[in-house]
Amino acid sequence: MHRIYLDHAATTPLRPEVFEAMRPYFTEKFGNASSIHSYGRESRAALDESRSVIAKALGVSSSEIFFVSSGTEANNFAIKGIAMKMKEEGKNHIITSKAEHHALLEPCTFLRGYGFEVTFVDVDEFGMVHPEQLRNSMRENTGFVSMMYVNNEVGTINPIQSLSTVAHEHGAIFHTDAVQAFGKIDFNLQESGIDLASFSAHKINGPKGIGAMYIKKGTKIENLLHGGGQERGRRAGTENVPLAVGFAKAVELLVREGESVNRRMGDLKIQFRRMLNEKFPFLLFNGHPTDSVSHVLNVSFDSEQIEIDGESLLFNLDLEGIAVTSGSACTSGSMEPSHVLLAMGRDIQTAKATIRFSFGKDTSEADLSFVIEKLESVIKKIGRLKRL
């Protein structure tokens, strides 16, 4: 069967160059980076070099980059670590948005059980947070603000610099989940006014199981993991040198090729949107039409025009060899509507009947033509147009 992968926002395939860069550190270069003998020093040198590569790509000092296991851990580290320090200053109010990833929403909910107040600000119809929305939510006891750089479901880019300015005007620490932004848009952490940021390797053709946390110099934050003195005392646990090397190699390739890849994906997105719009007039396009990343295109089937089961839609596309997702969470076998789309104003049935297409460096025009052909046959099979 001809298979097409269009779920790169979920994870990306590991590039062969990345695998080869990691290979020696699984075998002959296996030393613990905290050991003082030659094996350990060899691993330490690789770890330090990897950190430097990532820091340079982000425009920060290597002393401000800390390796973690994932973007989820980075988000938990940021919000829980700052929350502990907020209490020392008599602050207990946290602000985030209704369209954040669950890796941020769930820690916020957790902290509410420990005396913290959380405000979830609204997003507009494109999934964007406006600075005035944030400004109106700020209080004297606000200590932490977190807004994602790029929405993982619809691809909308938030005005991060303006949002961080508002947070700082009120004396709050500003964090961004930049997992979907890294490598997809140009940004400089120092120039953006960001205090903390989360990253993940497997979104940029690197290995799963490793992420990075940017902690701006001078930011007071409690450690999430306690134990040894690894990661300069910030994150206890034996360092995962092979994955750090893989992360850095993926970043090297990104710096070298990212601009041309993103430009090509942007052209594909424009072309694919036009093809979908011409073929399926009952589709609604989610996310900002211009302030969005090139690799994500999210569409919903308008419930006022067509009746279609979202879960059946994804299942039938998979049978045709097309791997996509809805951006929704599947719980106990039943499709739940996307909290992001609901926050944007979509009705429940429309939100359930959604497809997130996300492109990668090897996605081709032929792939998209194949998807259009198969999508048409699936819709004829399971969809029911309504009389208007």
Side-chain angles (χ1 to χ4, degrees):
M1 176 191 290
H2 180 55
R3 296 203 302 168
I4 294 176
Y5 184 77
L6 290 178
D7 198 16
H8 290 82
T11 195
T12 55
L14 188 75
R15 290 188 60 166
E17 303 97 317
V18 174
F19 180 74
E20 290 304 319
M22 291 192 295
R23 187 195 294 270
Y25 295 92
F26 283 115
T27 52
E28 65 266 23
K29 299 180 180 182
F30 56 83
N32 187 320
S34 295
S35 298
I36 61 173
H37 48 60
S38 61
Y39 287 87
R41 293 197 304 273
E42 185 176 46
S43 291
R44 169 60 58 185
L47 189 69
D48 290 344
E49 174 61 22
S50 298
R51 195 188 317 276
S52 295
V53 168
I54 295 168
K56 184 178 180 181
L58 292 169
V60 299
S61 167
S62 61
S63 64
E64 297 173 304
I65 296 296
F66 300 85
F67 288 115
V68 293
S69 67
S70 62
T72 293
E73 183 186 327
N75 284 347
N76 274 263
F77 188 177
I79 188 169
K80 293 175 182 176
I82 294 298
M84 295 303 102
K85 293 298 183 181
M86 282 169 54
K87 276 199 168 182
E88 297 176 6
E89 301 175 3
K91 296 182 177 182
N92 71 331
H93 182 227
I94 295 166
I95 301 177
T96 188
S97 84
K98 293 180 178 179
E100 298 294 309
H101 192 282
H102 285 292
L104 199 286
L105 296 177
E106 292 301 319
C108 283
T109 302
F110 168 81
L111 287 172
R112 292 173 87 174
Y114 289 85
F116 289 89
E117 300 175 13
V118 183
T119 296
F120 300 93
V121 300
D122 291 327
V123 296
D124 66 14
E125 68 270 28
F126 303 119
M128 183 180 290
V129 180
H130 291 269
E132 278 308 306
Q133 285 286 96
L134 176 58
R135 182 172 282 110
N136 293 337
S137 299
M138 300 296 298
R139 306 178 192 167
E140 288 187 6
N141 65 333
T142 304
F144 182 80
V145 175
S146 181
M147 300 290 170
M148 67 196 325
Y149 215 126
V150 171
N151 187 274
N152 60 298
E153 292 193 20
V154 299
T156 295
I157 303 170
N158 271 319
I160 290 298
Q161 189 164 352
S162 297
L163 294 170
S164 67
T165 298
V166 172
H168 292 153
E169 286 172 353
H170 293 79
I173 297 295
F174 186 83
H175 165 260
T176 187
D177 177 342
V179 166
Q180 292 290 347
F182 192 21
K184 303 303 188 297
I185 58 175
D186 291 327
F187 65 91
N188 183 292
L189 287 175
Q190 290 183 331
E191 294 174 358
S192 300
I194 295 166
D195 300 304
L196 302 153
S198 305
F199 304 95
S200 183
H202 76 102
K203 305 294 187 180
I204 58 168
N205 300 104
K208 296 175 179 64
I210 190 164
M213 178 81 168
Y214 163 70
I215 304 176
K216 185 178 181 180
K217 186 177 180 180
T219 302
K220 296 179 180 180
I221 182 171
E222 181 57 74
N223 298 334
L224 182 64
L225 297 179
H226 298 85
Q230 293 90 350
E231 292 300 293
R232 301 182 302 288
R234 287 291 194 189
R235 200 261 188 188
T238 301
E239 299 96 340
N240 198 327
V241 177
L243 298 194
V245 169
F247 194 172
K249 186 62 179 181
V251 170
E252 282 184 2
L253 295 169
L254 197 64
V255 170
R256 190 171 71 204
E257 305 170 7
E259 186 177 347
S260 61
V261 170
N262 288 331
R263 186 164 53 248
R264 193 179 68 80
M265 287 195 296
D267 292 340
L268 285 176
K269 180 177 177 177
I270 292 171
Q271 178 185 351
F272 192 44
R273 179 172 179 142
R274 183 174 62 249
M275 294 164 67
L276 288 168
N277 196 41
E278 291 174 352
K279 200 74 174 179
F280 312 110
F282 40 74
L283 282 182
L284 300 172
F285 293 88
N286 302 310
H288 201 283
T290 55
D291 293 334
S292 61
V293 287
S294 61
H295 71 297
V296 175
L297 182 61
N298 187 300
V299 300
S300 294
F301 291 79
D302 187 351
S303 63
E304 294 185 357
Q305 298 188 58
I306 187 170
E307 183 179 309
I308 196 164
D309 179 75
E311 195 167 9
S312 179
L313 175 64
L314 298 182
F315 178 74
N316 276 274
L317 286 173
D318 188 45
L319 289 178
E320 296 288 354
I322 299 168
V324 290
T325 189
S326 64
S328 305
C330 291
T331 306
S332 300
S334 62
M335 187 75 74
E336 296 296 327
S338 160
H339 69 284
V340 174
L341 296 180
L342 295 181
M344 290 166 54
R346 297 297 188 205
D347 64 83
I348 291 177
Q349 291 306 314
T350 297
K352 283 185 175 181
T354 294
I355 305 174
R356 181 187 67 182
F357 300 100
S358 49
F359 315 131
K361 62 180 290 294
D362 295 322
T363 303
S364 67
E365 293 181 17
D367 291 338
L368 302 185
S369 296
F370 181 82
V371 170
I372 292 290
E373 176 189 337
K374 296 302 180 182
L375 183 59
E376 184 175 24
S377 64
V378 168
I379 292 172
K380 287 180 180 178
K381 178 180 177 182
I382 66 172
R384 186 177 69 84
L385 286 170
K386 297 182 178 179
R387 289 186 177 183
L388 301 179

Short mmCIF file of all heavy atoms in Angstrom, two decimals, residues 77-120:
data_model
loop_
_atom_site.label_atom_id
_atom_site.label_comp_id
_atom_site.label_asym_id
_atom_site.label_seq_id
_atom_site.Cartn_x
_atom_site.Cartn_y
_atom_site.Cartn_z
N PHE A 77 8.43 21.84 34.28
CA PHE A 77 9.55 22.47 34.97
C PHE A 77 9.30 23.98 35.10
O PHE A 77 9.44 24.57 36.19
CB PHE A 77 10.83 22.19 34.18
CG PHE A 77 12.11 22.61 34.84
CD1 PHE A 77 13.33 22.33 34.21
CD2 PHE A 77 12.14 23.28 36.05
CE1 PHE A 77 14.54 22.70 34.79
CE2 PHE A 77 13.35 23.66 36.64
CZ PHE A 77 14.53 23.37 36.01
N ALA A 78 8.91 24.61 34.00
CA ALA A 78 8.71 26.05 33.99
C ALA A 78 7.62 26.49 34.96
O ALA A 78 7.85 27.32 35.84
CB ALA A 78 8.37 26.51 32.57
N ILE A 79 6.45 25.91 34.82
CA ILE A 79 5.32 26.41 35.60
C ILE A 79 5.41 26.02 37.07
O ILE A 79 5.16 26.84 37.97
CB ILE A 79 3.97 25.95 34.99
CG1 ILE A 79 2.81 26.65 35.70
CG2 ILE A 79 3.81 24.45 35.02
CD1 ILE A 79 1.49 26.48 35.02
N LYS A 80 5.82 24.80 37.36
CA LYS A 80 5.93 24.39 38.76
C LYS A 80 7.14 25.03 39.44
O LYS A 80 7.08 25.39 40.62
CB LYS A 80 5.99 22.87 38.85
CG LYS A 80 4.71 22.18 38.42
CD LYS A 80 4.84 20.66 38.40
CE LYS A 80 3.56 20.00 37.91
NZ LYS A 80 3.69 18.52 37.80
N GLY A 81 8.23 25.16 38.69
CA GLY A 81 9.42 25.77 39.25
C GLY A 81 9.21 27.24 39.60
O GLY A 81 9.65 27.71 40.66
N ILE A 82 8.54 27.97 38.71
CA ILE A 82 8.25 29.38 38.99
C ILE A 82 7.20 29.51 40.08
O ILE A 82 7.27 30.41 40.93
CB ILE A 82 7.80 30.10 37.71
CG1 ILE A 82 8.95 30.15 36.69
CG2 ILE A 82 7.32 31.51 38.03
CD1 ILE A 82 10.17 30.91 37.14
N ALA A 83 6.23 28.61 40.08
CA ALA A 83 5.16 28.67 41.08
C ALA A 83 5.72 28.60 42.50
O ALA A 83 5.28 29.32 43.40
CB ALA A 83 4.16 27.53 40.85
N MET A 84 6.73 27.74 42.70
CA MET A 84 7.33 27.62 44.02
C MET A 84 8.01 28.92 44.45
O MET A 84 7.96 29.31 45.61
CB MET A 84 8.33 26.46 44.03
CG MET A 84 7.73 25.08 43.81
SD MET A 84 6.44 24.62 45.02
CE MET A 84 4.94 24.90 44.05
N LYS A 85 8.65 29.59 43.50
CA LYS A 85 9.31 30.86 43.80
C LYS A 85 8.30 32.00 43.98
O LYS A 85 8.53 32.93 44.76
CB LYS A 85 10.31 31.22 42.69
CG LYS A 85 11.51 30.26 42.61
CD LYS A 85 12.31 30.29 43.90
CE LYS A 85 13.54 29.39 43.82
NZ LYS A 85 14.31 29.38 45.08
N MET A 86 7.18 31.92 43.25
CA MET A 86 6.13 32.94 43.39
C MET A 86 5.62 33.01 44.82
O MET A 86 5.37 34.10 45.35
CB MET A 86 4.95 32.62 42.45
CG MET A 86 5.17 32.96 40.99
SD MET A 86 3.87 32.24 39.94
CE MET A 86 2.37 32.85 40.71
N LYS A 87 5.46 31.85 45.42
CA LYS A 87 4.93 31.80 46.78
C LYS A 87 5.81 32.58 47.74
O LYS A 87 5.32 33.21 48.69
CB LYS A 87 4.78 30.35 47.25
CG LYS A 87 3.48 29.70 46.81
CD LYS A 87 3.17 28.47 47.65
CE LYS A 87 1.75 28.01 47.41
NZ LYS A 87 1.40 26.84 48.26
N GLU A 88 7.12 32.52 47.52
CA GLU A 88 8.04 33.25 48.38
C GLU A 88 7.84 34.76 48.27
O GLU A 88 8.18 35.50 49.20
CB GLU A 88 9.48 32.88 48.01
CG GLU A 88 9.83 31.42 48.23
CD GLU A 88 11.23 31.07 47.75
OE1 GLU A 88 11.96 32.02 47.35
OE2 GLU A 88 11.61 29.88 47.77
N GLU A 89 7.31 35.21 47.14
CA GLU A 89 7.07 36.63 46.93
C GLU A 89 5.62 37.03 47.20
O GLU A 89 5.22 38.17 46.96
CB GLU A 89 7.43 36.99 45.48
CG GLU A 89 8.88 36.70 45.12
CD GLU A 89 9.18 36.96 43.66
OE1 GLU A 89 8.27 37.42 42.94
OE2 GLU A 89 10.32 36.70 43.23
N GLY A 90 4.84 36.08 47.70
CA GLY A 90 3.45 36.38 48.02
C GLY A 90 2.54 36.46 46.82
O GLY A 90 1.46 37.07 46.88
N LYS A 91 2.95 35.82 45.69
CA LYS A 91 2.12 35.82 44.49
C LYS A 91 1.59 34.42 44.23
O LYS A 91 2.30 33.44 44.45
CB LYS A 91 2.92 36.31 43.28
CG LYS A 91 3.39 37.75 43.38
CD LYS A 91 4.13 38.17 42.13
CE LYS A 91 4.53 39.63 42.20
NZ LYS A 91 5.23 40.09 40.96
N ASN A 92 0.35 34.34 43.75
CA ASN A 92 -0.22 33.01 43.50
C ASN A 92 -1.14 32.98 42.27
O ASN A 92 -1.94 32.07 42.12
CB ASN A 92 -1.00 32.53 44.73
CG ASN A 92 -2.30 33.30 44.94
OD1 ASN A 92 -2.39 34.48 44.57
ND2 ASN A 92 -3.29 32.66 45.55
N HIS A 93 -0.98 33.98 41.39
CA HIS A 93 -1.86 34.05 40.21
C HIS A 93 -1.07 33.75 38.94
O HIS A 93 -0.02 34.34 38.69
CB HIS A 93 -2.50 35.44 40.11
CG HIS A 93 -3.45 35.58 38.96
ND1 HIS A 93 -3.44 36.64 38.08
CD2 HIS A 93 -4.46 34.76 38.54
CE1 HIS A 93 -4.40 36.47 37.18
NE2 HIS A 93 -5.03 35.35 37.44
N ILE A 94 -1.58 32.81 38.16
CA ILE A 94 -0.97 32.36 36.91
C ILE A 94 -1.93 32.64 35.75
O ILE A 94 -3.15 32.48 35.90
CB ILE A 94 -0.67 30.85 36.98
CG1 ILE A 94 0.40 30.57 38.05
CG2 ILE A 94 -0.23 30.30 35.62
CD1 ILE A 94 0.52 29.10 38.41
N ILE A 95 -1.39 33.05 34.63
CA ILE A 95 -2.22 33.30 33.44
C ILE A 95 -1.71 32.48 32.27
O ILE A 95 -0.51 32.43 31.99
CB ILE A 95 -2.21 34.80 33.04
CG1 ILE A 95 -2.73 35.67 34.18
CG2 ILE A 95 -3.08 35.01 31.79
CD1 ILE A 95 -2.67 37.16 33.87
N THR A 96 -2.62 31.82 31.59
CA THR A 96 -2.32 31.14 30.34
C THR A 96 -3.53 31.29 29.43
O THR A 96 -4.44 32.06 29.74
CB THR A 96 -1.95 29.66 30.59
OG1 THR A 96 -1.48 29.08 29.38
CG2 THR A 96 -3.13 28.87 31.12
N SER A 97 -3.57 30.58 28.31
CA SER A 97 -4.70 30.71 27.40
C SER A 97 -5.51 29.42 27.33
O SER A 97 -5.03 28.35 27.72
CB SER A 97 -4.23 31.10 25.99
OG SER A 97 -3.84 29.96 25.25
N LYS A 98 -6.70 29.52 26.81
CA LYS A 98 -7.57 28.36 26.66
C LYS A 98 -7.13 27.42 25.54
O LYS A 98 -7.64 26.30 25.44
CB LYS A 98 -9.01 28.82 26.40
CG LYS A 98 -9.66 29.54 27.57
CD LYS A 98 -11.09 29.97 27.24
CE LYS A 98 -11.75 30.66 28.43
NZ LYS A 98 -13.13 31.12 28.13
N ALA A 99 -6.18 27.87 24.73
CA ALA A 99 -5.77 27.08 23.56
C ALA A 99 -4.40 26.44 23.72
O ALA A 99 -3.82 25.96 22.75
CB ALA A 99 -5.78 27.95 22.31
N GLU A 100 -3.89 26.38 24.95
CA GLU A 100 -2.57 25.80 25.18
C GLU A 100 -2.59 24.28 25.02
O GLU A 100 -3.64 23.64 25.08
CB GLU A 100 -2.07 26.16 26.58
CG GLU A 100 -1.90 27.64 26.83
CD GLU A 100 -0.81 28.26 25.98
OE1 GLU A 100 0.31 27.72 25.97
OE2 GLU A 100 -1.09 29.30 25.34
N HIS A 101 -1.39 23.72 24.90
CA HIS A 101 -1.23 22.27 24.89
C HIS A 101 -1.57 21.73 26.27
O HIS A 101 -1.40 22.40 27.29
CB HIS A 101 0.22 21.92 24.52
CG HIS A 101 0.45 20.49 24.18
ND1 HIS A 101 0.56 19.51 25.15
CD2 HIS A 101 0.61 19.86 23.00
CE1 HIS A 101 0.77 18.35 24.57
NE2 HIS A 101 0.81 18.52 23.26
N HIS A 102 -2.03 20.48 26.33
CA HIS A 102 -2.37 19.87 27.62
C HIS A 102 -1.17 19.78 28.55
O HIS A 102 -1.33 19.72 29.77
CB HIS A 102 -2.98 18.48 27.40
CG HIS A 102 -4.39 18.52 26.90
ND1 HIS A 102 -5.44 18.97 27.67
CD2 HIS A 102 -4.93 18.18 25.70
CE1 HIS A 102 -6.56 18.91 26.99
NE2 HIS A 102 -6.29 18.42 25.78
N ALA A 103 0.04 19.79 27.98
CA ALA A 103 1.23 19.74 28.80
C ALA A 103 1.42 21.02 29.61
O ALA A 103 2.24 21.07 30.52
CB ALA A 103 2.47 19.52 27.93
N LEU A 104 0.64 22.04 29.31
CA LEU A 104 0.64 23.27 30.09
C LEU A 104 -0.66 23.40 30.88
O LEU A 104 -0.65 23.81 32.04
CB LEU A 104 0.84 24.47 29.16
CG LEU A 104 1.31 25.81 29.74
CD1 LEU A 104 0.25 26.55 30.51
CD2 LEU A 104 2.57 25.62 30.58
N LEU A 105 -1.76 23.03 30.26
CA LEU A 105 -3.06 23.15 30.93
C LEU A 105 -3.16 22.24 32.15
O LEU A 105 -3.68 22.64 33.20
CB LEU A 105 -4.20 22.81 29.95
CG LEU A 105 -4.36 23.75 28.75
CD1 LEU A 105 -5.47 23.25 27.84
CD2 LEU A 105 -4.66 25.18 29.20
N GLU A 106 -2.67 21.02 32.02
CA GLU A 106 -2.77 20.08 33.14
C GLU A 106 -1.94 20.50 34.35
O GLU A 106 -2.41 20.42 35.49
CB GLU A 106 -2.39 18.67 32.67
CG GLU A 106 -3.38 18.04 31.70
CD GLU A 106 -4.79 17.93 32.29
OE1 GLU A 106 -4.91 17.58 33.48
OE2 GLU A 106 -5.75 18.22 31.56
N PRO A 107 -0.69 20.95 34.19
CA PRO A 107 0.03 21.47 35.35
C PRO A 107 -0.66 22.66 36.00
O PRO A 107 -0.62 22.81 37.23
CB PRO A 107 1.39 21.87 34.76
CG PRO A 107 1.56 21.02 33.57
CD PRO A 107 0.18 20.86 33.00
N CYS A 108 -1.29 23.51 35.19
CA CYS A 108 -2.04 24.65 35.76
C CYS A 108 -3.19 24.15 36.63
O CYS A 108 -3.42 24.65 37.74
CB CYS A 108 -2.59 25.52 34.64
SG CYS A 108 -1.36 26.59 33.87
N THR A 109 -3.92 23.16 36.11
CA THR A 109 -5.02 22.58 36.88
C THR A 109 -4.50 21.94 38.17
O THR A 109 -5.11 22.07 39.24
CB THR A 109 -5.76 21.54 36.03
OG1 THR A 109 -6.26 22.16 34.84
CG2 THR A 109 -6.92 20.94 36.80
N PHE A 110 -3.36 21.27 38.08
CA PHE A 110 -2.74 20.66 39.25
C PHE A 110 -2.43 21.71 40.32
O PHE A 110 -2.71 21.51 41.51
CB PHE A 110 -1.46 19.95 38.81
CG PHE A 110 -0.56 19.51 39.94
CD1 PHE A 110 -0.83 18.34 40.63
CD2 PHE A 110 0.54 20.27 40.30
CE1 PHE A 110 0.00 17.93 41.67
CE2 PHE A 110 1.37 19.86 41.34
CZ PHE A 110 1.10 18.69 42.03
N LEU A 111 -1.87 22.83 39.90
CA LEU A 111 -1.48 23.87 40.86
C LEU A 111 -2.68 24.54 41.53
O LEU A 111 -2.56 25.06 42.64
CB LEU A 111 -0.61 24.91 40.16
CG LEU A 111 0.81 24.45 39.83
CD1 LEU A 111 1.53 25.47 38.96
CD2 LEU A 111 1.61 24.19 41.10
N ARG A 112 -3.83 24.51 40.87
CA ARG A 112 -5.03 25.08 41.50
C ARG A 112 -5.37 24.34 42.79
O ARG A 112 -5.97 24.91 43.69
CB ARG A 112 -6.21 25.02 40.52
CG ARG A 112 -6.05 25.93 39.33
CD ARG A 112 -7.14 25.72 38.29
NE ARG A 112 -8.30 26.53 38.56
CZ ARG A 112 -9.34 26.63 37.73
NH1 ARG A 112 -9.33 25.95 36.59
NH2 ARG A 112 -10.37 27.37 38.03
N GLY A 113 -4.99 23.09 42.86
CA GLY A 113 -5.24 22.32 44.07
C GLY A 113 -4.27 22.64 45.20
O GLY A 113 -4.41 22.11 46.31
N TYR A 114 -3.30 23.51 44.93
CA TYR A 114 -2.31 23.88 45.93
C TYR A 114 -2.31 25.38 46.20
O TYR A 114 -1.28 25.98 46.53
CB TYR A 114 -0.92 23.41 45.48
CG TYR A 114 -0.77 21.91 45.56
CD1 TYR A 114 -1.20 21.11 44.50
CD2 TYR A 114 -0.25 21.28 46.68
CE1 TYR A 114 -1.09 19.72 44.56
CE2 TYR A 114 -0.14 19.90 46.75
CZ TYR A 114 -0.56 19.13 45.70
OH TYR A 114 -0.47 17.76 45.76
N GLY A 115 -3.48 25.99 46.04
CA GLY A 115 -3.64 27.38 46.42
C GLY A 115 -3.33 28.41 45.36
O GLY A 115 -3.35 29.61 45.64
N PHE A 116 -3.07 27.97 44.13
CA PHE A 116 -2.81 28.92 43.05
C PHE A 116 -4.09 29.23 42.29
O PHE A 116 -4.94 28.36 42.10
CB PHE A 116 -1.75 28.37 42.09
CG PHE A 116 -0.37 28.34 42.67
CD1 PHE A 116 0.07 27.22 43.38
CD2 PHE A 116 0.48 29.42 42.53
CE1 PHE A 116 1.34 27.19 43.93
CE2 PHE A 116 1.75 29.39 43.07
CZ PHE A 116 2.19 28.28 43.78
N GLU A 117 -4.21 30.45 41.85
CA GLU A 117 -5.33 30.88 41.00
C GLU A 117 -4.84 30.92 39.56
O GLU A 117 -3.74 31.40 39.29
CB GLU A 117 -5.82 32.26 41.42
CG GLU A 117 -6.31 32.34 42.87
CD GLU A 117 -6.68 33.74 43.27
OE1 GLU A 117 -6.79 34.61 42.37
OE2 GLU A 117 -6.82 34.00 44.47
N VAL A 118 -5.65 30.42 38.66
CA VAL A 118 -5.27 30.38 37.25
C VAL A 118 -6.35 31.04 36.40
O VAL A 118 -7.53 30.71 36.53
CB VAL A 118 -5.04 28.94 36.75
CG1 VAL A 118 -4.58 28.95 35.28
CG2 VAL A 118 -4.01 28.21 37.61
N THR A 119 -5.94 31.97 35.55
CA THR A 119 -6.85 32.59 34.59
C THR A 119 -6.52 32.05 33.20
O THR A 119 -5.36 32.12 32.76
CB THR A 119 -6.70 34.12 34.59
OG1 THR A 119 -7.10 34.64 35.86
CG2 THR A 119 -7.58 34.75 33.51
N PHE A 120 -7.53 31.51 32.53
CA PHE A 120 -7.37 31.01 31.16
C PHE A 120 -7.99 32.05 30.23
O PHE A 120 -9.22 32.14 30.11
CB PHE A 120 -8.06 29.66 30.99
CG PHE A 120 -7.52 28.58 31.89
CD1 PHE A 120 -8.11 28.32 33.13
CD2 PHE A 120 -6.42 27.82 31.51
CE1 PHE A 120 -7.61 27.34 33.96
CE2 PHE A 120 -5.91 26.83 32.35
CZ PHE A 120 -6.51 26.59 33.57
#
